[in-house]
């Protein structure tokens, strides 16, 4: 079993009833397209990093009081991204990243291929569908619940001339149950939560008219 499959089978999420575009890079219709800075322009300001001791809701804080928006190692990449896209907001991105974590996994567990198609790139989508089909052939269904996301932080930002990639580390508590076609318990326990430690990478074309970030990779931290 691959690390990607382990991640898919190990995590759960609650459906939020919204599309990814509403929380990852939402536009109001008044923004300008991202442009690369001229050499004579000043360097982009540093993204805000919030200490663990600061209160929830402070500028740059992750939603739900989950701590830092990003880890120190990601600061250089965030500076470069802000220079390329002056409308990028790390706090708003993290709201979307937490929502995406929930939405994508809920779609996977319910077998919602349409939602997965909207939120994942081709490789990630195919991996999810392959796992769904294998589960369906076994006649199994998942009855999973997300107890809570403890932390969600940006750990890395990579830029090429055409694309930006952001990696987010999620630490969450989950309870997972697998049932057969008759509803009988195959494995898992709702009273025995396990902690996950996962890395998801999202990507987006720089300067694209499409503001959406797509899931590119999922792995275990």
């Amino acid at each position: 079993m691959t690390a990607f499959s382990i991640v898919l089978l190990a995590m759960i999420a609650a459906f939020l009833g919204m599309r990814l575009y509403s929380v990852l890079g939402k536009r109001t219709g008044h923004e300008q397209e991202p442009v690369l800075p001229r050499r004579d322009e000043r360097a982009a300001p540093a993204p805000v990093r919030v200490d663990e001791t600061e209160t929830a809701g402070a500028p740059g804080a992750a939603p739900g009081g989950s701590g830092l928006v990003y880890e120190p190692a990601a600061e250089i990449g965030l500076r470069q991204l802000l220079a390329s896209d002056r409308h990028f907001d790390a706090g708003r991105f993290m709201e979307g990243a937490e929502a995406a974590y929930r939405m994508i996994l809920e779609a996977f567990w319910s077998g919602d291929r349409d939602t997965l198609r909207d939120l994942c790139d081709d490789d990630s989508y195919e991996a999810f569908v392959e796992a769904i089909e294998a589960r369906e052939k076994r006649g199994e269904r998942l009855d999973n619940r997300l107890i809570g996301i403890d932390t969600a932080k940006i750990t890395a930002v990579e830029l090429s001339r055409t694309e930006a990639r952001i990696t987010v580390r999620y630490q969450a508590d989950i309870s997972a149950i697998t049932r057969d076609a008759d509803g009988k318990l195959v494995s898992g326990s709702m009273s025995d939560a396990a902690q996950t430690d996962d890395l998801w990478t999202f990507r987006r074309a720089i300067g694209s008219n499409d503001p959406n970030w797509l899931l590119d990779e999922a792995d275990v931290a």
Side-chain angles (χ1 to χ4, degrees), residues 50-68:
V50 179
D51 292 335
E52 295 284 1
T53 56
E54 293 189 12
T55 58
S66 54
L68 300 174

Side-chain angles (χ1 to χ4, degrees), residues 91-209:
R92 187 173 64 181
F93 173 86
M94 286 308 304
E95 291 178 0
E98 291 200 26
Y101 183 80
R102 299 169 181 266
M103 293 169 66
I104 291 173
L105 290 172
E106 175 62 24
F108 166 68
W109 286 307
S110 66
D112 183 353
R113 293 167 173 80
D114 290 339
T115 296
L116 292 172
R117 178 70 281 176
D118 290 342
L119 307 183
C120 303
D121 70 3
D122 291 342
D123 291 340
S124 296
Y125 172 75
E126 291 172 3
F128 277 113
V129 170
E130 181 179 351
I132 290 172
E133 291 176 347
R135 185 177 71 222
E136 290 174 343
K137 288 180 180 179
R138 295 192 302 269
E140 296 175 348
R141 64 180 178 83
L142 301 180
D143 184 11
N144 302 333
R145 296 188 187 281
L146 177 64
I147 305 303
I149 299 175
D150 298 326
T151 62
K153 303 176 185 178
I154 296 172
T155 63
V157 180
E158 301 175 37
L159 271 73
S160 66
R161 293 183 62 85
T162 60
E163 186 177 76
R165 300 175 78 249
I166 299 179
T167 299
V168 178
R169 182 177 185 177
Y170 301 93
Q171 292 179 316
D173 294 316
I174 61 98
S175 291
I177 282 184
T178 302
R179 300 185 185 277
D180 63 18
D182 297 324
K184 295 181 179 179
L185 181 67
V186 174
S187 64
S189 170
M190 295 303 293
S191 61
D192 185 17
Q195 187 175 64
T196 63
D197 193 356
D198 307 301
L199 294 171
W200 282 24
T201 300
F202 300 91
R203 67 175 180 84
R204 177 179 178 270
I206 296 175
S208 171
N209 291 327

